[in-house]
Amino acid sequence: GETHNQIAIDILKQRLEEINTKFFSQQSWGGPDETGISWTNHVQALAYVAPREATQFLREKLEIGGSLLLMVTDAASILMRLDAERVIPELLREFRSAQQEENRKIAAGLKESEKEVQIPDLQNEAKVNRQLSRAVRPIPPSAEYRKRQHLLNLLGSSSDYNLFIPDLIQFLKEEPDESIQKQIIQILGKSKHHSAIHTLVQVLKEDNDKLRVEATKQLIKLSAIPNLIDSEELRILARCEDINISWYAAVVLGHLRDSAALSRMLHVLANNPRAGIRSIAAKILGIIGNPDCVPSLLKAMEDDSDRYVRINAACALCCFCKVEATSALLDKLISITNDHPHTDKIKSMSWLSIQ
């Protein structure tokens, strides 16, 4: 248990410093790292007998070698377990300060370069900075960028994201860097809080395709939890005139098995020139599971020019217990000759679908 024996604490801290020096003097890290394991064990021991000293030690070491320690030790989770209530507000303050400093530098850099940049339809300074940060942010990334990245890694190890969801949402709005925004979106995706989900849905309306893709990924993960996502917002976006916004909304609706995505996916499967998009549509039609999809999937399995679309259409048909679907899969299985370049894969997919 906790002790006030300072001699014992000092001995443990001294031993930890020795291990820490050895750890960072290594030339490479890979697989189970014995020094990293020893480092973690000693920190856990210090946390057991002297929580305050362990917290201070972890904060200092994570500030110096954050990314490496996060990769091969349990430093972040130990820190959060020790004192999340006090540590999280400190991390949020540090992030806010680093973000404000980054935005200030970007604004100063633009002013100094005397560039006249006109960007239509941007509503706030943070959006302007996002458009222009790559042009003025130094390479390698600034100290403020690395600090924000490090702080998000620590926040991402928390066991209760709801403690700081409102702060993350605000950070996302004011963040100038795309990769940091993606990190924030990933943390929001770990939360089941309604405001986090609402924010992810709103990101689908952003003009940045990479952020829309990341938000879609997180919403798809959350779609596995029944009744968590309210489909109404997504249905509205699925009717949007912007084809990119409506597509991502339809993809999420499809994973929610919402019939509002049905007509869009059928149209995409039949008409979209991009095979990858048609392949996604075929998968989602299988997830939706509406029997009206069967004729379109049968046609795609037989006639589509891309083999992966044909395979995904066959896999989607396994969701339907209709005679015509099963018969078509059997016919496809029988018709494949052994000299077909993808015989094994198609046969295994067909058997899986039939079973």
Side-chain angles (χ1 to χ4, degrees):
E2 189 170 354
T3 180
H4 297 290
N5 186 331
Q6 194 60 43
I7 295 176
I9 293 171
D10 289 343
I11 290 173
L12 190 53
K13 288 173 69 177
Q14 181 182 353
R15 174 65 180 146
L16 246 176
E17 289 292 352
E18 293 171 0
I19 296 171
N20 193 72
T21 301
K22 180 181 178 183
F23 177 74
F24 281 103
S25 66
Q26 294 180 132
Q27 297 299 313
S28 62
W29 292 264
D33 185 87
E34 293 184 6
T35 310
I37 293 170
S38 180
W39 190 96
T40 298
N41 290 338
H42 280 74
V43 171
Q44 288 175 329
L46 183 62
Y48 186 65
V49 300
R52 184 170 297 180
E53 283 81 355
T55 301
Q56 183 180 353
F57 176 86
L58 282 167
R59 290 300 308 276
E60 291 175 356
K61 300 309 177 187
L62 283 167
E63 190 70 31
I64 298 169
S67 58
L68 184 58
L69 291 174
L70 289 169
M71 184 171 62
V72 296
T73 74
D74 295 330
S77 58
I78 296 171
L79 180 61
M80 288 299 176
R81 189 170 66 246
L82 276 170
D83 200 5
E85 191 172 328
R86 186 174 67 86
V87 168
I88 287 176
E90 291 180 10
L91 298 179
L92 294 173
R93 281 194 296 272
E94 290 180 31
F95 187 97
R96 187 174 294 106
S97 175
Q99 188 181 68
Q100 290 172 348
E101 179 63 16
E102 181 86 16
N103 281 325
R104 187 194 66 77
K105 286 185 176 180
I106 292 171
L110 289 171
K111 187 176 181 180
E112 184 178 341
S113 62
E114 297 182 349
K115 292 180 180 178
E116 295 183 2
V117 181
Q118 295 182 356
I119 303 176
D121 302 326
L122 295 183
Q123 298 176 355
N124 56 53
E125 182 182 348
K127 286 189 176 181
V128 175
N129 287 343
R130 280 202 289 274
Q131 297 290 331
L132 303 171
S133 61
R134 289 184 180 178
V136 298
R137 182 155 54 84
I139 300 174
S142 67
E144 288 77 18
Y145 168 84
R146 290 194 297 270
K147 185 167 188 176
R148 297 199 308 285
Q149 193 176 49
H150 165 66
L151 291 169
L152 285 176
N153 285 332
L154 293 179
L155 289 168
S157 66
S158 171
S159 59
D160 187 2
Y161 305 106
N162 294 337
L163 293 172
F164 49 89
I165 288 299
D167 298 277
L168 283 180
I169 293 171
Q170 190 61 35
F171 292 157
L172 181 62
K173 292 176 181 177
E174 299 176 2
E175 178 54 46
D177 189 273
E178 180 184 276
S179 61
I180 298 293
Q181 284 182 297
K182 287 176 68 175
Q183 256 188 292
I184 296 173
I185 289 170
Q186 288 163 6
I187 298 176
L188 290 174
K190 296 177 183 178
S191 170
K192 301 177 183 65
H193 196 277
H194 66 89
S195 61
I197 296 170
H198 172 73
T199 300
L200 292 174
V201 172
Q202 293 303 305
V203 171
L204 300 182
K205 297 192 291 186
E206 286 282 339
D207 55 2
N208 186 318
D209 199 55
K210 291 182 180 178
L211 298 185
R212 286 194 292 231
V213 168
E214 192 58 51
T216 302
K217 287 179 182 177
Q218 301 307 319
L219 287 167
I220 288 171
K221 290 178 185 176
L222 292 169
S223 70
I225 304 172
N227 304 317
L228 182 63
I229 301 176
D230 183 3
S231 299
E232 189 54 39
E233 275 188 290
L234 290 164
R235 291 191 193 108
I236 293 171
L237 292 182
R239 296 192 293 269
C240 178
E241 292 183 1
D242 186 310
I243 59 171
N244 292 310
I245 295 173
S246 60
W247 166 250
Y248 288 116
V251 167
V252 179
L253 282 170
H255 281 83
L256 290 169
R257 294 179 169 82
D258 193 306
S259 59
L262 182 61
S263 60
R264 179 64 181 275
M265 294 302 156
L266 288 171
H267 177 78
V268 167
L269 180 62
N271 300 291
N272 196 286
R274 295 170 60 187
I277 299 297
R278 297 199 304 277
S279 186
I280 291 172
K283 289 180 182 178
I284 292 175
L285 287 171
I287 293 170
I288 295 172
N290 189 314
D292 294 341
C293 302
V294 170
S296 295
L297 288 169
L298 289 171
K299 181 174 175 55
M301 183 181 71
E302 291 292 341
D303 301 336
D304 198 280
S305 60
D306 185 86
R307 63 179 180 271
Y308 294 109
V309 176
R310 296 196 298 271
I311 289 170
N312 283 318
C315 289
L317 286 166
C318 75
C319 302
F320 305 93
C321 298
K322 298 193 72 173
V323 173
E324 57 264 41
T326 306
S327 299
L329 288 167
L330 281 168
D331 291 342
K332 172 62 69 174
L333 181 64
I334 294 167
S335 68
I336 297 172
T337 59
N338 288 329
D339 59 352
H340 191 283
H342 300 284
T343 297
D344 292 339
K345 185 168 185 178
I346 295 177
K347 281 192 173 183
S348 63
M349 291 295 185
S350 298
W351 276 123
L352 176 63
S353 299
I354 293 166
Q355 292 165 356

